[in-house]
């Protein structure tokens, strides 16, 4: 798993290097949180979820408990069809897992300041390269899944699923009902 996480970082770094010139002059600045609140689904792979779990485990216990409650609440609200801000978004609009943020967050930027009337404007070239990177992430995490951050982190909190995943096993029947209900996709079937 450690080698896969190193590969994950290489995919992130390659995307950053490949798109650096395309995102010059973007409007996004530290503390901008429009996408964290409004832009939609933060999809991750199970491998990215593992990296996020490791980052969470390094946080103080009180913050871990607060995040667990926030994710439970987010799942409940999502199941009611409501959009909610990312639980990792702090009051000062900073991301508490910025160094470990998933690719969904890394690929988003905007050529202008965003608002309800002006959603992010992203280069088609950047999005095409992002799609290639998503395929690479799914290939790297071939015994895993892709889906919304809250649902993938929830799956990893279930001991039976965690054990299967970390053993490198692949048992999609174990999550079939949950996966269908929450639009979880099987990575090895993508591409």
């Amino acid at each position: 798993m450690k080698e896969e996480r190193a590969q994950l970082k290489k995919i992130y770094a390659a995307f950053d290097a490949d798109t650096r010139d395309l995102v010059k002059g973007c409007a996004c600045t530290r503390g901008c949180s429009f996408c964290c609140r409004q832009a939609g689904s933060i999809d991750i792979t199970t491998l990215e979820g593992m990296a996020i779990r490791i980052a969470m485990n390094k946080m103080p216990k009180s913050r871990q408990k607060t995040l667990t409650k926030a994710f439970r609440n987010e799942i409940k609200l999502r199941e009611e069809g409501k959009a909610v801000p990312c639980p990792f978004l702090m009051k000062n609009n900073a991301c508490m897992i910025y160094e470990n943020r998933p690719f969904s967050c890394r690929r988003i930027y905007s050529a202008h300041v965003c608002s309800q009337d002006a959603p992010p404007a992203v280069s088609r070239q950047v999005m095409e390269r992002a799609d290639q990177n998503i395929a690479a992430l799914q290939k790297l995490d071939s015994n895993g899944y892709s889906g919304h951050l809250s649902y993938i982190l929830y799956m990893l909190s279930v001991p039976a699923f965690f054990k299967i995943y970390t053993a490198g096993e692949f048992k999609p029947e174990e999550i079939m009902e949950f996966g269908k209900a929450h639009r979880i996709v099987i990575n090895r079937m993508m591409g």
Side-chain angles (χ1 to χ4, degrees):
M1 190 70 55
K2 195 172 187 178
E3 186 174 317
E4 287 89 352
R5 287 197 318 271
Q7 284 295 113
L8 181 67
K9 289 183 179 188
K10 286 181 181 178
I11 291 171
Y12 293 163
F15 177 78
D16 289 345
D18 193 32
T19 59
R20 187 167 288 122
D21 289 340
L22 296 169
V23 300
K24 278 185 181 171
C26 76
C28 306
T29 59
R30 185 180 194 112
C32 170
S33 63
F34 181 85
C35 292
C36 308
R37 295 178 185 282
Q38 307 290 332
S41 187
I42 304 165
D43 287 344
I44 67 171
T45 64
T46 318
L47 181 60
E48 289 179 299
M50 288 294 293
I52 292 168
R53 278 180 56 99
I54 291 167
M56 286 175 65
N57 288 338
K58 294 177 183 175
M59 295 176 183
K61 294 289 182 197
S62 60
R63 179 163 278 178
Q64 290 179 40
K65 285 182 181 181
T66 301
L67 281 169
T68 299
K69 286 181 185 176
F71 276 109
R72 282 187 191 136
N73 186 50
E74 185 191 32
I75 287 172
K76 181 179 172 243
L77 292 172
R78 284 192 156 279
E79 288 175 349
E80 293 172 5
K82 299 174 184 172
V84 292
C86 177
F88 291 117
L89 185 63
M90 296 186 291
K91 289 179 182 175
N92 67 354
N93 289 331
C95 175
M96 67 178 77
I97 61 161
Y98 188 79
E99 293 302 316
N100 295 289
R101 72 196 186 283
F103 186 72
S104 284
C105 301
R106 293 170 186 271
R107 73 181 182 153
I108 298 293
Y109 77 96
S110 181
H112 63 253
V113 176
C114 303
S115 69
Q116 286 297 106
D117 298 325
V122 182
S123 158
R124 182 175 303 161
Q125 290 172 301
V126 172
M127 293 313 289
E128 288 169 356
R129 291 175 184 164
D131 289 344
Q132 294 167 2
N133 279 270
I134 290 168
L137 289 168
Q138 290 174 326
K139 185 176 180 182
L140 176 63
D141 192 18
S142 65
N143 73 313
Y145 303 85
S146 294
H148 189 273
L149 171 84
S150 296
Y151 300 135
I152 297 293
L153 289 176
Y154 169 77
M155 287 169 47
L156 287 168
S157 74
V158 175
F161 176 81
F162 184 82
K163 183 178 178 183
I164 291 167
Y165 179 73
T166 56
E169 296 175 16
F170 181 67
K171 296 182 181 177
E173 64 279 3
E174 298 286 327
I175 68 125
M176 200 63 71
E177 188 176 318
F178 181 81
K180 283 181 182 177
H182 300 293
R183 294 182 294 210
I184 304 291
V185 299
I186 301 169
N187 288 344
R188 70 173 58 174
M189 294 179 72
M190 303 305 295

